[in-house]
Amino acid sequence: MTDQVSARAVAAHHRLTHLDEAGHARMVDVSAKTPSIREAIAQADVHMLPETLTAIREQTLRKGDVLAVARIAAIQATKRTSELIPLCHPLALSAVEAQFVEIDEGTLRILVTVRTTGVTGVEMEALVGATVGALTVYDMCKAIDRGMVIRDACLLKKSGGKSGLYERHQEVPR
């Protein structure tokens, strides 16, 4: 099955809510939805030279504490998601957490958890936060490692709302 045929089958099975009957983009009306506690966790990985990760860990970069700046950037980005992603609803977020995990000697993972009580999910906020956190790490470290690669940005988990729980159980395709 081709990607195009597969996409049509998915669209036919799951109505694309950001399209009206004529196929035009629209913001989904969520006014009739019931508020619930919603949470999403997303990640993004920054692959770098081992020396770069050491410099981050030891805080020897001239721009300052990379993780502190990336944490603030990730949190701030979640709050600005509706300004960056067309058709996203502006949300009042209840909590945002940004964590950093060294996966191996040259990979730093940014994990962002977002919570709210509302009528629409926070998956996009978590994804934007993780990605902007990764971009900030790149910006802070590019003077010593322009070859860094950001990848594996994905939703790990989401809960709440009509669709309920989603958890990623497979590796991110490369």
Side-chain angles (χ1 to χ4, degrees):
M1 180 176 344
T2 69
D3 287 341
Q4 191 175 22
V5 171
S6 176
R8 273 188 289 225
V10 169
H13 182 352
H14 300 286
R15 188 172 155 263
L16 299 175
T17 58
H18 283 85
L19 300 177
D20 67 14
E21 293 74 24
H24 300 119
R26 68 178 177 121
M27 188 172 194
V28 175
D29 181 357
V30 295
S31 59
K33 292 174 81 176
T34 303
S36 67
I37 297 171
R38 295 159 182 272
E39 179 179 87
I41 304 169
Q43 74 170 36
D45 291 347
V46 184
H47 300 270
M48 61 190 73
L49 296 172
E51 304 83 57
T52 306
L53 192 49
T54 298
I56 292 170
R57 186 183 322 108
E58 296 176 359
Q59 296 186 22
T60 58
L61 288 145
R62 291 178 59 205
K63 285 192 172 184
D65 185 343
V66 172
L67 300 184
V69 175
R71 179 174 286 109
I72 296 297
I75 293 167
Q76 188 65 24
T78 65
K79 298 188 304 182
R80 307 291 292 257
T81 298
S82 67
E83 296 173 30
L84 299 170
I85 306 296
L87 309 179
C88 273
H89 293 85
L91 301 177
L93 304 180
S94 303
V96 179
E97 299 169 23
Q99 299 174 303
F100 303 91
V101 179
E102 293 183 27
I103 300 301
D104 58 39
E105 66 180 16
T107 306
L108 181 66
R109 176 165 291 160
I110 295 92
L111 293 163
V112 174
T113 302
V114 181
R115 285 182 213 91
T116 194
T117 300
V119 295
T120 189
V122 289
E123 299 92 12
M124 291 309 301
E125 286 73 11
L127 284 161
V128 167
T131 305
V132 169
L135 288 166
T136 302
V137 169
Y138 185 95
D139 181 55
M140 297 282 293
C141 300
K142 69 183 181 233
I144 63 167
D145 186 358
R146 291 199 189 274
M148 289 176 285
V149 174
I150 298 168
R151 64 173 169 233
D152 300 336
C154 65
L155 180 66
L156 298 176
K157 181 179 179 182
K158 78 86 150 170
S159 61
K162 190 169 112 179
S163 65
L165 180 66
Y166 165 82
E167 290 183 286
R168 178 174 291 283
H169 293 293
Q170 71 277 10
E171 286 293 313
V172 180
R174 297 217 181 249

